[in-house]
């Protein structure tokens, strides 16, 4: 494990190599995860974390077949953007590249991963989760249960390009204080945008909001 001292005490950068099930407990910032290895892990799982008081971006490159389960902090939400070709499953639904998995406050992360799994976990505070709801234009404050949604390819590619740029900025700002404020601001905006997409997609599949026109409108608003 390597850690860089934070330039701004409000955030930190860390890289971990996870070898045993017990080490997976902090793989998603703030969550209390448990990993059940279904096969021995031949190579360590790598997690790069950028953590702020209101948000966290956790980049996962897993090398194990396992079940992952655990609760989030009270009021916090987590969204997983699937980035690799290896398929996983969450809440009983398959999730490949370009799928957004949302775990609203009060729910428990629950899924299965396989060697080669790649994902970004975006964990956000109650305040940013609420900002995402307002950005999505969703009136109902109850998001419902977890969601597994395939993003439109062009939307996913746009998010992926933005994410790669943001990751480079965060890495650079870990050693250059001049970039710190921009990195924190851009990361918060990205996290809120992901939350808004989760809110909009969750609202779009609710029984009373299934009209195609409304669904497209909500997604455009996000």
């Amino acid at each position: 494990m390597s850690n860089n001292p934070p330039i701004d005490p409000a955030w930190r950068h860390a890289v971990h190599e996870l070898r045993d099930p017990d080490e997976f407990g902090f793989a998603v910032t703030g969550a209390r995860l448990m990993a059940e290895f279904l096969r021995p892990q031949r190579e360590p799982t790598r997690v790069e974390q950028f953590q702020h008081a209101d948000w966290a971006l956790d980049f996962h490159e897993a090398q194990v077949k396992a079940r992952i389960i655990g609760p989030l902090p009270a009021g916090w939400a987590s969204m997983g953007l699937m980035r690799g070709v290896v398929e996983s499953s969450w809440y009983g639904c398959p999730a490949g590249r370009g799928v957004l998995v949302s775990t609203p406050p009060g729910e428990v992360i629950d899924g299965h991963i396989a060697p080669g799994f790649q994902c970004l976990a975006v964990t956000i505070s109650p305040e940013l989760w609420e900002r995402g709801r307002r950005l999505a234009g969703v009136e109902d404050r109850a998001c419902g249960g977890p969601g597994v949604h395939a993003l439109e390819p062009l939307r996913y590619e746009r998010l992926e390009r933005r994410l790669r740029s943001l990751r480079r900025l965060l890495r650079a700002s870990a050693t250059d204080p001049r970039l710190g404020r921009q990195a924190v601001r851009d990361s918060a905006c990205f996290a809120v945008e992901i939350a808004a997409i989760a809110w909009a997609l969750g609202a779009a599949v609710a029984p009373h909001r299934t009209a195609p026109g409304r669904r497209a409108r909500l997604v455009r608003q996000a």
Side-chain angles (χ1 to χ4, degrees):
M1 179 183 72
S2 65
N3 292 279
N4 289 328
I7 299 301
D8 181 335
W11 80 283
R12 67 189 296 269
H13 174 224
V15 178
H16 306 278
E17 291 191 349
L18 312 179
R19 294 175 172 80
D20 300 316
D22 291 345
E23 295 178 336
F24 279 69
F26 55 84
V28 172
T29 297
R32 299 191 304 276
L33 295 184
M34 294 181 292
E36 178 187 353
F37 283 11
L38 303 178
R39 290 181 185 173
Q41 181 174 232
R42 295 183 178 180
E43 299 178 23
T45 287
R46 189 174 188 272
V47 181
E48 183 174 19
Q49 297 178 317
F50 301 94
Q51 301 167 326
H52 184 267
D54 287 323
W55 52 263
L57 305 178
D58 301 325
F59 293 85
H60 299 113
E61 299 175 11
Q63 302 299 332
V64 64
K65 183 175 183 179
R67 183 188 182 194
I68 305 295
I69 186 170
L72 292 164
W76 284 61
S78 182
M79 287 75 63
L81 183 63
M82 305 299 112
R83 306 180 65 221
V85 297
V86 173
E87 193 171 86
S88 58
S89 68
W90 301 93
Y91 308 107
C93 299
R97 178 180 171 87
V99 168
L100 182 66
V101 178
S102 60
T103 306
E107 300 290 342
V108 174
I109 295 173
D110 189 356
H112 290 78
I113 61 175
F117 169 77
Q118 295 183 41
C119 146
L120 165 73
V122 182
T123 309
I124 61 174
S125 66
E127 179 183 352
L128 295 191
W129 180 243
E130 172 63 14
R131 282 174 55 184
R133 182 191 67 81
R134 294 197 300 267
L135 179 60
V138 176
E139 297 178 1
D140 190 350
R141 292 176 179 267
C143 185
V148 180
H149 304 285
L151 301 179
E152 296 177 358
L154 290 178
R155 173 183 288 274
Y156 170 71
E157 292 302 328
R158 182 184 66 81
L159 288 173
E160 181 65 28
R161 289 193 299 271
R162 184 176 173 190
L163 180 59
R164 289 195 295 266
S165 176
L166 179 59
R167 193 178 189 181
R168 289 194 296 269
L169 174 61
L170 283 163
R171 284 173 169 172
S173 65
T175 56
D176 187 344
R178 295 171 299 178
L179 300 174
R181 290 185 178 179
Q182 179 184 349
V184 169
R185 181 176 61 252
D186 290 358
S187 298
C189 290
F190 182 84
V192 170
E193 180 180 354
I194 293 293
I197 294 173
W199 270 105
L201 292 173
V205 299
H208 61 290
R209 293 172 174 159
T210 54
R214 179 173 178 80
R215 182 182 301 116
R217 187 164 58 253
L218 287 169
V219 174
R220 285 197 301 271
Q221 288 175 346

